[in-house]
Amino acid sequence: MTQSKAPTNGGVAIVLSGAGARGAYEAGALSVLLPLLKGDDRPRMVLGASAGALNVAILASHLHQGVDAAAAALLQGWRQITPARVFATPRLSVLRLAERRLRRPAGVAPGLLDTAPLRATVRQLLPDEHFGSAVTNGILDAVAVAASSCARGGAVVFLETTRPVPMSGPDVAYAPTRLGPEHLMASSAFPLAFPAQWVGGAAEGWYIDGGIHLNTPLKPAIDLGADRILVIGATPWDIGQAPERSRPPNLMDGSGQILHALLVDSLRADLAALARTNLQLGAGAATPAAGWRVVRYCDLHPSDDGLSDVAARSWPSGLLPFVRSLGGYGAVGPLTVQHQRPGQFLSYLCFTPEFVSEAITSGIADAERLVKGSAGITWATS
């Protein structure tokens, strides 16, 4: 996966996964790691999907002030987040959906939850809606946001870059564009819950959450020529307690496995493939002349699934009946009772101050453990 048609220009890329409200974990981790990325390790590319895309936009908008200021902006932005600043209550969502259908405005699709508040929040968090201006100003070489094309049925990476645009393939298509809020809304449009987003331009069409096909845009970072990649995911490798042995997995447990596969399994496979390629290069089994190169990386993800427990106790009481109506807490009987940690699903939509604060704290703690005893980021090949 380290073969690229684009010239190798090197440099550090920050790649951020999508995970809804768990994106606050990434902000906490970056508040520790960003100040270490200076000199030759300064970030030259930032790429993300879903909540990771929002973090990318905030980073790109503040890196001109330095990595310390960008880290502070991330924390400040997430500490302003509340459920009401992300989506409307189900009752208001229904009313607004009816209003939209009557007015039929362009670029708006139906969704279970109304994300008009998120659109307003995005504009408030970004000092410049054109967050890709960091590229034109020479602060970064590339800024990229992944989304999933409804028409194409695959990943599309919207990007601004001074580097050669990588060749599109069956797994990832690249769309050079002027980045703005519509790309962030597209990247975070989780199917059914959030409405799809229309994006204009050369790759115009309807888009949904980038996490569906490319939750962690590791390959685009490699295609753009990065030789060091900091990868931060907000979902633990293990999703928590397994179902009781006396009970077979049910609908909710199966859905949890599907969600975990989308968020984690592809990243695991990509990192394993990257490590194998690095090993082959080190052993002389592959040659740089063939277009392959060593790409070092550092990956961080939550050390445990404690954030699921935080979500279970901090979910807003006003929305809890709505969640129960969907079966998340077993209100409709044994078919939907979740044997695994009950907050797993809720954690991705739990934008409460308590959850955000705990996620930030968790990210800080894990990042501090990662770099303990070292003067900077340790880049590995396997």
Side-chain angles (χ1 to χ4, degrees):
M1 88 176 266
T2 51
Q3 190 172 26
S4 172
K5 299 300 182 181
T8 304
N9 297 306
V12 171
I14 297 176
V15 177
L16 304 175
S17 298
R22 288 175 178 254
Y25 172 91
E26 298 174 350
L30 284 168
S31 71
V32 174
L33 302 179
L34 268 178
L36 302 178
L37 295 175
K38 296 179 179 179
D40 290 341
D41 278 349
R42 74 173 181 86
R44 293 175 61 183
M45 293 167 276
V46 290
L47 309 89
S50 194
L54 175 60
N55 287 334
V56 159
I58 296 174
L59 277 180
S61 298
H62 291 87
L63 275 173
H64 68 282
Q65 300 173 320
V67 289
D68 299 272
L74 274 172
L75 293 181
Q76 181 181 5
W78 275 97
R79 285 168 176 156
Q80 297 176 41
I81 294 294
T82 64
R85 297 194 67 184
V86 178
F87 52 80
T89 63
R91 180 181 299 175
L92 287 177
S93 293
V94 171
L95 294 176
R96 289 179 179 175
L97 175 60
E99 180 184 11
R100 286 200 301 265
R101 286 188 171 179
L102 289 174
R103 297 184 179 181
R104 297 183 182 274
V108 177
L112 190 61
L113 298 172
D114 180 11
T115 54
L118 175 60
R119 187 181 301 273
T121 298
V122 165
R123 296 181 185 277
Q124 292 167 7
L125 291 179
L126 301 182
D128 181 0
E129 290 185 1
H130 175 214
F131 58 90
S133 61
V135 174
T136 55
N137 294 337
I139 306 301
L140 292 167
D141 294 350
V143 179
V145 170
S148 298
S149 169
C150 295
R152 181 177 178 274
V156 174
V157 175
F158 297 102
L159 78 162
E160 289 195 43
T161 182
T162 55
R163 300 188 176 196
V165 176
M167 294 180 61
S168 295
D171 48 354
V172 180
Y174 293 97
T177 190
R178 177 185 170 91
L179 292 170
E182 69 274 15
H183 300 102
L184 298 182
M185 296 300 296
S187 185
S188 62
F190 192 78
L192 299 180
F194 290 179
Q197 172 69 41
W198 175 266
V199 175
E204 71 175 13
W206 290 100
Y207 288 87
I208 56 176
D209 200 303
I212 302 301
H213 292 286
L214 192 64
N215 191 56
T216 308
L218 186 63
K219 183 182 187 303
I222 296 172
D223 287 349
L224 284 164
D227 59 17
R228 283 154 292 162
I229 303 177
L230 174 61
V231 185
I232 303 179
T235 303
W237 286 154
D238 299 316
I239 59 175
Q241 301 167 350
E244 297 177 22
R245 290 187 177 184
S246 61
R247 301 177 181 176
N250 59 22
L251 178 65
M252 293 300 288
D253 297 317
S255 299
Q257 294 290 337
I258 293 172
L259 183 59
H260 193 256
L262 289 174
L263 299 179
V264 172
D265 287 0
S266 60
L267 173 58
R268 272 179 163 170
D270 286 349
L271 288 175
L274 179 56
R276 285 195 301 270
T277 300
N278 287 338
L279 182 62
Q280 291 171 352
L281 284 166
T287 63
W292 298 80
R293 69 187 190 276
V294 171
V295 178
R296 294 178 292 162
Y297 63 93
C298 176
D299 69 288
L300 177 68
H301 55 270
S303 53
D304 57 45
D305 198 22
L307 289 178
S308 291
D309 297 331
V310 177
R313 69 171 183 262
S314 66
W315 188 259
S317 58
L319 288 177
L320 192 55
F322 168 68
V323 176
R324 284 178 174 153
S325 73
L326 299 179
Y329 274 78
V332 296
L335 177 66
T336 57
V337 64
Q338 190 177 353
H339 300 152
Q340 296 172 333
R341 287 181 172 172
Q344 283 174 2
F345 293 100
L346 293 179
S347 66
Y348 299 100
L349 292 175
C350 193
F351 294 92
T352 65
E354 178 187 359
F355 181 85
V356 168
S357 178
E358 291 279 357
I360 288 173
T361 299
S362 178
I364 291 173
D366 286 344
E368 288 178 341
R369 279 191 290 268
L370 178 71
V371 299
K372 184 177 181 180
S374 62
I377 303 293
T378 300
W379 304 105
T381 57
S382 61

